[in-house]
Amino acid sequence: MGKTERVSMRGVRRKTAGIFGRRGTRIPHVTQQDRADITELEQLRANSRLEPRKLRQMTVTTIALKVCASALKVFPQFNASI
């Protein structure tokens, strides 16, 4: 595990965290599925000249996870545990 930092929450964030915590146990979880056009992504993978073997071996899931990890570094509040 990496380094963690404790930051006290105040006001709206604290109230929201409490409500979401209670709702998470009472409301059924839902899975959302949408369609996305990944034609350009597949063309990028197929035509890549930068490390072609590695990029072609990457799945769409792997690419999505790398994008999410980068976003969480930029927006650390989304990467918080309550």
Side-chain angles (χ1 to χ4, degrees), residues 1 36 38 43 48 50 61 72-74 80-82:
M1 287 247 158
I38 60 168
Q43 288 174 350
S48 176
L50 300 172
T61 304
L72 291 173
K73 287 178 184 176
V74 175
S81 297
I82 297 176

Side-chain angles (χ1 to χ4, degrees), residues 2 5 8 33 41 55 57-58 66-67 76:
E5 175 186 359
S8 62
Q33 296 181 359
L41 178 61
L55 191 58
Q57 291 173 350
M58 291 180 77
K66 287 183 174 283
V67 169

Side-chain angles (χ1 to χ4, degrees), residues 16-48:
T16 303
I19 291 170
F20 274 107
R22 287 190 301 277
R23 298 296 183 251
T25 60
R26 296 180 187 166
I27 299 173
H29 292 60
V30 177
T31 300
Q32 174 70 33
Q33 296 181 359
D34 289 319
R35 292 181 181 213
D37 182 4
I38 60 168
T39 305
E40 291 182 33
L41 178 61
E42 289 299 320
Q43 288 174 350
L44 175 69
R45 286 179 56 224
N47 299 330
S48 176

Side-chain angles (χ1 to χ4, degrees), residues 44-78:
L44 175 69
R45 286 179 56 224
N47 299 330
S48 176
R49 292 185 184 135
L50 300 172
E51 301 182 43
R53 289 183 184 165
K54 286 185 180 181
L55 191 58
R56 286 187 191 135
Q57 291 173 350
M58 291 180 77
T59 64
V60 174
T61 304
T62 305
I63 294 169
L65 288 173
K66 287 183 174 283
V67 169
C68 288
S70 297
L72 291 173
K73 287 178 184 176
V74 175
F75 301 103
Q77 286 186 339
F78 287 111

